[in-house]
Amino acid sequence: MLKHFVEFSYPGIFFSEYSHEEIAERKPELVTVPKEAFAYRFFDQVQTVVEGELLTGERKNYSRYTYFGKVYTLEEVKKEFPEYTTLISNMECNGWNRVVRTRRGNWQPLEEGDTVIE
């Protein structure tokens, strides 16, 4: 049976950490986002029970991220945060035109289709 999930993103020491929960529908208005999370996205997964054992397939059909924070362009980061030389270098080297400073204070690159809620 195909199941729907929401995955929440949290700041980690080196990489983001994640949690997920099953949901009935992939509708943003039905999601309660933990205050500690800075983003979420949806995914699907097939689950079935065989001889009493729950078997799960690969996660698939990931949605784009919804972030909570403020969007900055490279020019805005250079102007407002000139001391963030590593971020500026990463933006330039990786071709990131826009990043989001999340409500948790971390920075994430924005990709096509991502949404930001201020």
Side-chain angles (χ1 to χ4, degrees):
M1 169 177 266
L2 183 66
K3 303 275 187 163
H4 308 295
F5 295 87
V6 60
E7 176 185 82
F8 301 107
S9 300
Y10 306 89
I13 294 174
F14 292 109
F15 299 99
S16 297
E17 296 184 12
Y18 305 95
S19 70
H20 67 276
E21 61 186 51
E22 186 176 341
I23 54 174
E25 298 179 77
R26 293 172 57 136
K27 291 186 175 181
E29 62 270 17
L30 300 178
V31 175
T32 301
V33 180
K35 66 181 179 183
E36 298 85 9
F38 65 82
Y40 72 89
R41 66 179 176 172
F42 298 110
F43 69 88
D44 298 325
Q45 190 173 44
V46 173
Q47 294 184 344
T48 188
V49 177
V50 176
E51 297 179 9
E53 183 179 355
L54 177 64
L55 304 175
T56 58
E58 295 292 320
R59 294 177 182 184
K60 59 185 177 180
N61 301 325
Y62 278 97
S63 69
R64 300 306 315 155
Y65 280 100
T66 297
Y67 290 100
F68 300 93
K70 184 176 178 187
V71 177
Y72 291 89
T73 64
L74 176 58
E75 293 74 28
E76 290 169 332
V77 172
K78 285 180 176 180
K79 181 180 177 184
E80 296 183 41
F81 305 96
E83 69 279 12
Y84 286 28
T85 55
T86 301
L87 174 62
I88 292 167
S89 176
N90 283 339
M91 291 181 75
E92 291 173 336
C93 291
N94 293 302
W96 300 339
N97 298 319
R98 300 179 316 140
V99 292
V100 60
R101 185 174 194 184
T102 76
R103 66 184 183 185
R104 296 299 313 272
N106 59 322
W107 297 86
Q108 298 292 320
L110 286 176
E111 296 186 15
E112 188 69 33
D114 289 343
T115 303
V116 177
I117 298 172
E118 286 196 31

